[in-house]
Amino acid sequence: MKKRNCFIGQSGGPTVAINASLAGIIHECIKSQKFDHVYGMVNGIMGLLESRYMDLGELFNDSQALEQLKHSPAMYLGSCRYKLPNYQDDPQTYEILFHTFEQLHITDFYYIGGNDSMDTVAKLSAYAKSIHSPICFIGIPKTIDNDTWGTDMTFGFHSAVEVATDTIDRIHTTATSHNRVFIIEIMGHKVGWVTLHAGIAGGADIILLPEIPYDMDVIAEAIDKRAKSGKKFTIIAVAEGAISKEDAKLSKKELKDKQAKKKYPSVAYEMAEKVQKRTQQEVRIAIPGHTQRGGSPCPFDRVLSTRLGAEAARAILDENYGCMMSVKNDKIVRVPLSEVAGKLKYVDPKSEIIRQAKITGISFGDE
Ligand code: F6P
């Protein structure tokens, strides 16, 4: 029976444990003995478009090497930030990619990445179907943002929450010495899952999310109320993409123009200036930044990444493709890529976790 050949790529913002999923796929492909070649794209689709790839079957032909890969930091294959255009807008890019697939007799394509990467796989899978190409496409979701539609969790999220929570914990220890407001800016431009979980876990007094536009009057009132009740500090956990009620009413273009004119390097500095003006309190800023995507992965992420990688290879062998590997109620399931493409999983302002956080006294700057 004709052997298969596959491409594996990594893309988007790295998360910890990212290589465990890569190792899982390589291991399952080699163990199945159904693959002639397991190729790795260097820097994702961008590298593939420049014919940059490596033969992973040769590099990882022993379990020791795979074990080391599993625990190696950063993305072994390198990454890219690239969203594949629609076929109608750029047919040449599709033709270059499918020409490479044809030259190497590719039968399977795995892509490990965030939303833009899942969108890319969905487009390639739809195009393959439209030209009756037999190539199988599988997406493996990974992003610290945990904003991928169709899966309960993405690996990297829990580890990022741990880093952000540790930052808030450490700020707590210094905050008790001063009558200050501390602003901690946490990753999440479009979606606030990391900020929400770290804010609750770290005991933030105010949590500001992109999904819940804030009212500066409400924030100032919450800070003044704490000061008047004798509290020595206030901690605000603010997502990178937190937005005021006024700005939330602007059109995309108006907001983009307004943000381009802002003098602040990021949302924490804007919030600091607003708080100082409204409360006359001293304000300090802490930004864990990209440390939220590094370090040693927490056990939960290592297990999830390994499980997704292993199941991805099995999906191909079952010839069940055109799907994204997802976790739902702790089961690894396959969700059609067509259902996932272009969607984000937002924090629901009316969800019970928000209601429960408010009951404990946390303000979201909205009421
Ligand atoms: O998408 C993951 C993420 O870490 C976001 O949370 C963050 O806003 C963004 O990537 C940062 O992107 P970059 O690493 O390109 O600065």
Side-chain angles (χ1 to χ4, degrees):
M1 182 182 163
K2 208 164 170 312
K3 286 220 170 182
R4 307 176 79 109
N5 297 294
C6 77
F7 257 126
I8 309 172
Q10 294 173 315
S11 169
T15 71
V16 293
I18 177 88
N19 291 327
S21 51
L22 172 62
I25 299 170
I26 298 168
H27 176 262
E28 291 299 314
C29 286
I30 293 172
K31 192 177 80 173
S32 71
Q33 296 183 334
K34 293 188 176 180
F35 287 82
D36 255 344
H37 293 282
V38 179
Y39 296 111
M41 305 172 217
V42 178
N43 294 109
I45 289 269
M46 292 300 282
L48 188 54
L49 284 166
E50 297 154 5
S51 297
R52 287 187 290 117
Y53 54 84
M54 59 179 84
D55 192 322
L56 297 170
E58 284 171 11
L59 287 167
F60 294 101
N61 54 14
D62 70 85
S63 57
Q64 173 65 27
L66 268 180
E67 200 51 35
Q68 281 168 348
L69 170 65
K70 208 169 157 182
H71 301 295
S72 64
M75 285 172 161
Y76 179 80
L77 297 175
S79 181
C80 67
R81 283 230 182 257
Y82 176 77
K83 187 167 182 173
L84 187 69
N86 291 321
Y87 174 73
Q88 299 75 352
D89 301 328
D90 184 358
Q92 196 193 3
T93 295
Y94 287 73
E95 280 141 25
I96 293 168
L97 289 171
F98 278 75
H99 175 67
T100 303
F101 297 155
E102 198 180 325
Q103 277 187 310
L104 296 171
H105 309 294
I106 295 297
T107 54
D108 311 306
F109 181 100
Y110 301 89
Y111 213 42
I112 306 167
N115 299 302
D116 287 352
S117 309
M118 294 305 106
D119 183 61
T120 291
V121 185
K123 284 171 178 161
L124 290 172
S125 183
Y127 175 70
K129 283 199 181 82
S130 72
I131 60 169
H132 307 295
S133 157
I135 299 177
C136 314
F137 290 84
I138 294 267
I140 295 102
K142 71 89 206 129
T143 171
I144 68 160
D145 295 333
N146 191 33
D147 58 357
T148 304
W149 179 272
T151 182
D152 292 346
M153 198 62 63
T154 52
F155 63 82
F157 169 68
H158 277 279
S159 299
V161 170
E162 276 192 8
V163 172
T165 303
D166 180 60
T167 301
I168 300 175
D169 288 347
R170 291 169 186 276
I171 292 296
H172 257 290
T173 54
T174 176
T176 52
S177 322
H178 307 272
N179 287 321
R180 283 172 173 163
V181 175
F182 281 86
I183 296 175
I184 298 151
E185 181 181 300
I186 295 169
M187 278 190 158
H189 265 301
K190 296 177 188 147
V191 178
W193 290 110
V194 182
T195 307
L196 175 60
H197 283 250
I200 295 172
D205 306 299
I206 299 171
I207 298 177
L208 303 177
L209 308 177
E211 297 92 337
I212 303 179
Y214 63 79
D215 178 333
M216 209 49 228
D217 291 338
V218 171
I219 294 172
E221 199 181 306
I223 294 169
D224 288 343
K225 191 175 162 196
R226 282 185 55 84
K228 286 187 184 111
S229 66
K231 299 285 193 310
K232 288 193 169 183
F233 60 88
T234 294
I235 288 183
I236 304 177
V238 58
E240 287 176 303
I243 190 168
S244 67
K245 284 188 173 175
E246 297 77 17
D247 284 358
K249 291 178 187 135
L250 300 175
S251 69
K252 263 190 180 176
K253 185 178 176 328
E254 288 166 332
L255 184 59
K256 200 172 173 191
D257 293 347
K258 183 174 181 183
Q259 282 170 338
K261 294 182 188 117
K262 282 186 177 175
K263 59 181 191 278
Y264 312 103
S266 70
V267 68
Y269 295 87
E270 178 178 8
M271 184 50 64
E273 185 175 278
K274 288 179 176 176
V275 166
Q276 259 159 341
K277 271 189 188 154
R278 301 293 297 267
T279 66
Q280 278 71 51
Q281 289 211 32
E282 268 194 301
V283 182
R284 291 294 184 270
I285 290 168
I287 303 180
H290 287 68
T291 61
Q292 295 163 91
R293 294 198 328 218
S296 178
C298 69
F300 180 92
D301 282 345
R302 297 179 201 186
V303 172
L304 178 56
S305 175
T306 303
R307 292 178 65 197
L308 286 171
E311 284 293 342
R314 214 166 62 77
I316 287 283
L317 300 177
D318 296 350
E319 300 206 352
N320 180 321
Y321 44 85
C323 62
M324 177 182 84
M325 307 313 293
S326 300
V327 57
K328 290 210 174 161
N329 305 320
D330 197 33
K331 292 264 181 286
I332 306 296
V333 297
R334 300 161 186 171
V335 174
L337 282 164
S338 54
E339 281 180 25
V340 172
K343 289 181 192 166
L344 286 180
K345 185 180 69 188
Y346 293 98
V347 173
D348 175 359
K350 296 193 173 10
S351 57
E352 68 164 51
I353 187 172
I354 297 287
R355 181 169 49 77
Q356 289 151 356
K358 287 185 174 179
I359 290 169
T360 67
I362 293 173
S363 165
F364 287 84
D366 61 334
E367 56 186 4

